[in-house]
Amino acid sequence: MGNRFPAGTERLLLPALVILCCLLPLTAIWSVSLGATALPVRDIFEAIFFFDGSRDHLVIATIRLPRVLAGLLAGGALAVSGTVMQAITNNPLASPGLLGVNAGAAFAVVLTMSVFGAGAQGALVWAAFAGAGTAAIAVSLFGSIGPAQGTPVKLVLAGAVLTAFLTSLTTAILIFDRSTLDSVRLWTAGSLTGRTMDEVRAVAPYMLCGFAAALLFPRQLTVLSLGADVSKSLGQNPVVWRGLAAVLVILLAGGAVALAGPIGFVGLVVPHIVRMTAGTDYRWIIPFAAAGGAFLVLSADTLSRILFASQSFPVGVTMAMIGAPFFIWLARTRSRESA
């Protein structure tokens, strides 16, 4: 259950985590400073701690800062939820995007907006949780039907089918409901554009609870990742802990989708990079995944704004450019190992 690296290497993990955590505020400041008008660092700190209502302070407090906070929260939540999903399913290909959780949350949010309007932020959050949970249960059931129950390939195929189905339903709603389409056009591609501080406040408590719970139970997640038989032999009830872990996934992935839309591949790419560098002990994997996911999404959003000279370019598109080649490489690697 310990780290797979030689003795002594673990001492390097804490400095590495500290460096990664220090990069987050630096990247956040860089991101806030960018825009149609570049703003100095001093104005950013003054807008946060000594807000005076000036134009620059309003731009920072109402437009740029909520976008950065949404990126940090969504990136960390998707990475940690992917990490937890891979642990409880013992499936290296598991992630909120590939197993339909993101699509379920997105469909539920769009349906709620179409029925009740875009102003019901509290309802949207709970709709995202319900959609994420329903999709997770559906994929688990579909992947358990027939021979070779619950294998990684079957779960991924079930997730792909459910994702395609729910995406089609979401598109159908948007085709027939023009007002909802205008409200969520960028959001459906996974975007941080137009996020408000009220939206961040509405979702942040649930996501932070999910982060805290994941940090409190790293040993249980490490044992779950070894398989049901091993966890039972070590005195753990895998059914109970998988259920609790599923609640964490719903809080994290559902909250991320409600806030920033269905950003794909974060929950797949980050956990694998973390395990390749930090080993298999979830005491290290969880904090590294949280910081790494936040850093990846925020950096991808900031770089896309620079490269494409657009403040509204969806970060979900940038993550797809990064994640799709990674998924192909991972699938080929897994196929060679199985052969």
Side-chain angles (χ1 to χ4, degrees), residues 218-239:
R219 178 183 175 277
Q220 287 77 9
L221 291 173
T222 302
V223 174
L224 280 176
S225 68
L226 301 176
D229 293 337
V230 175
S231 62
K232 287 180 181 178
S233 67
L234 294 175
Q236 187 181 81
N237 188 328
V239 175

Side-chain angles (χ1 to χ4, degrees), residues 96-166:
L98 290 178
L99 296 191
V101 175
N102 284 357
F107 169 71
V109 168
V110 170
L111 180 62
T112 303
M113 291 178 69
S114 179
V115 174
F116 299 104
Q121 282 299 320
L124 297 183
V125 173
W126 289 106
F129 293 153
T134 303
I137 293 172
V139 168
S140 179
L141 291 176
F142 293 153
S144 301
I145 297 174
Q149 298 179 0
T151 60
V153 174
K154 284 197 67 174
L155 287 173
V156 171
L157 289 175
V161 171
L162 185 64
T163 297
F165 175 67
L166 292 175

Side-chain angles (χ1 to χ4, degrees), residues 13-209:
L13 294 179
L14 182 58
L17 182 60
V18 171
I19 292 172
L20 181 58
C21 291
C22 289
L23 286 175
L24 287 178
L26 296 177
T27 307
I29 294 171
W30 174 47
S31 182
V32 173
S33 68
L34 296 175
T37 302
L39 296 173
V41 175
R42 185 183 68 180
D43 285 359
I44 296 173
F45 281 98
E46 288 180 351
I48 296 174
F49 298 107
F50 308 102
F51 183 79
D52 61 11
S54 64
R55 177 186 174 277
D56 287 347
H57 285 195
L58 283 172
V59 169
I60 292 170
T62 62
I63 298 175
R64 299 189 185 181
L65 186 59
R67 179 175 188 151
V68 167
L69 292 177
L72 292 172
L73 285 170
L78 290 171
V80 173
S81 63
T83 300
V84 174
M85 289 182 74
Q86 290 171 18
I88 62 178
T89 62
N90 199 22
N91 180 358
L93 299 178
S95 75
L98 290 178
L99 296 191
V101 175
N102 284 357
F107 169 71
V109 168
V110 170
L111 180 62
T112 303
M113 291 178 69
S114 179
V115 174
F116 299 104
Q121 282 299 320
L124 297 183
V125 173
W126 289 106
F129 293 153
T134 303
I137 293 172
V139 168
S140 179
L141 291 176
F142 293 153
S144 301
I145 297 174
Q149 298 179 0
T151 60
V153 174
K154 284 197 67 174
L155 287 173
V156 171
L157 289 175
V161 171
L162 185 64
T163 297
F165 175 67
L166 292 175
T167 301
S168 299
L169 291 180
T170 303
T171 303
I173 294 173
L174 296 176
I175 289 174
F176 290 105
D177 190 341
R178 189 77 181 188
S179 61
T180 302
L181 173 62
D182 293 338
S183 301
V184 299
R185 182 183 289 111
L186 288 174
W187 177 89
T188 53
S191 175
L192 304 177
T193 303
R195 299 306 95 196
T196 66
M197 197 60 75
D198 287 340
E199 292 172 339
V200 173
R201 292 193 192 98
V203 180
Y206 305 105
M207 300 166 75
L208 292 176
C209 286

